[in-house]
Amino acid sequence: MDKLPVGDKRLESILIGSDKIQQRVEELACQIRDDYGVMTPLCIIGALKGATIFITDLVRTLSRVGKQEMTLAFLRASAYGDVVRTGDSVGMRKVNIDMLGAKITAKHILVVDDILDQGFTLSGICAKLTELYPEANIKTCVLLKKELANPSEEIKALRGSINPDYVGFKVQDRWVVGYGLDAKEMYRELPYIALADEKAFD
Ligand code: IMP
Ligand code: MG
């Protein structure tokens, strides 16, 4: 049974429980296995640090459902730094991508991130990978996709240009934590996704 941290008023409620996440990870893994094929070499590259919990569950589930020929890599994409975004404020436009020495040889690359919010991170990662590996077939997978409440024209256009191939869950336009996602570096360890009170992290 999932429980919010005792006495911590900065989290409001559990949005997606751990059982529901595990069930969805399994569904995504089966879909990915079927789309690529068991024996097609596939590099799965995760964005640190948010995607770490999701990607480690995803690759083990992929293995369990029979996918073979996978390699695992990580990159670091920093967009927000230590900021908890509220409402329709815009995150940092410039996303810094550090490949952390990863050398990808597979023709098929699956980028895994925790959440698609305004879109700077995923578009930055895809642009960098396309520049480095122009011949590769690049697809994207996010655990969460935020439904933006009041996006600017710029953000609307950016989000319109990104359509992740695999999405775990759609979430409302609030700051969420857990299962790898943080607020000021906290709560990544929670096995569920919880709603944070943004005002508590000003
Ligand atoms: P984007 O570039 O605006 O799409 O933001 C995506 C990145 O910001 C993700 O990789 C996360 O690291 C972080 N992020 C965005 N929204 C949230 C959230 O609600 N909780 C935790 N991290 C978030
Ligand atoms: Mg991130």
Side-chain angles (χ1 to χ4, degrees):
M1 186 53 188
D2 295 328
K3 271 203 217 115
L4 286 170
V6 178
D8 187 339
K9 300 253 186 318
R10 294 169 297 181
L11 302 187
E12 290 180 6
S13 59
I14 295 174
L15 195 62
I16 309 169
S18 53
D19 287 353
K20 216 168 151 191
I21 295 177
Q22 293 312 319
Q23 191 188 327
R24 187 72 188 121
V25 168
E26 171 123 14
E27 288 168 6
L28 290 173
C30 290
Q31 202 185 332
I32 291 167
R33 173 204 60 199
D34 293 346
D35 288 355
Y36 286 98
V38 166
M39 296 305 288
T40 305
L42 173 63
C43 176
I44 302 185
I45 183 157
L48 295 176
K49 302 176 209 170
T52 47
I53 310 277
F54 177 38
I55 199 171
T56 51
D57 273 354
L58 183 67
V59 292
R60 285 178 298 176
T61 310
L62 274 163
S63 171
R64 197 159 46 72
V65 300
K67 175 75 187 111
Q68 300 182 95
E69 301 294 328
M70 290 180 285
T71 54
L72 192 52
F74 291 94
L75 54 77
R76 166 129 205 133
S78 358
Y80 285 89
D82 216 15
V83 172
V84 171
R85 195 176 72 77
T86 48
D88 46 11
S89 64
V90 176
M92 208 196 287
R93 287 184 171 77
K94 181 95 188 87
V95 179
N96 187 49
I97 312 284
D98 182 345
M99 292 299 295
L100 303 173
K103 298 259 181 308
I104 300 174
T105 52
K107 185 175 174 295
H108 297 277
I109 299 175
L110 180 62
V111 178
V112 175
D113 204 2
D114 50 358
I115 187 165
L116 171 64
D117 185 3
Q118 298 187 105
F120 295 104
T121 306
L122 211 51
S123 70
I125 293 171
C126 289
K128 179 81 178 182
L129 287 171
T130 305
E131 177 196 319
L132 290 172
Y133 306 105
E135 305 295 315
N137 162 36
I138 300 165
K139 287 191 179 182
T140 51
C141 173
V142 290
L143 177 71
L144 307 175
K145 181 175 169 181
K146 237 183 235 186
E147 304 275 88
L148 299 181
N150 192 20
S152 66
E153 288 305 316
E154 178 200 2
I155 302 296
K156 230 190 268 176
L158 180 59
R159 276 290 301 264
S161 70
I162 308 162
N163 195 14
D165 298 278
Y166 304 95
V167 175
F169 302 93
K170 289 182 180 167
V171 290
Q172 65 208 93
D173 197 351
R174 292 285 312 275
W175 198 262
V176 289
V177 298
Y179 203 70
L181 292 102
D182 75 306
K184 304 240 162 150
E185 288 300 326
M186 287 180 295
Y187 306 119
R188 294 191 196 275
E189 73 283 7
L190 300 177
Y192 48 77
I193 300 289
L195 267 186
D197 173 7
E198 291 92 347
K199 293 186 290 301
F201 298 94
D202 280 351

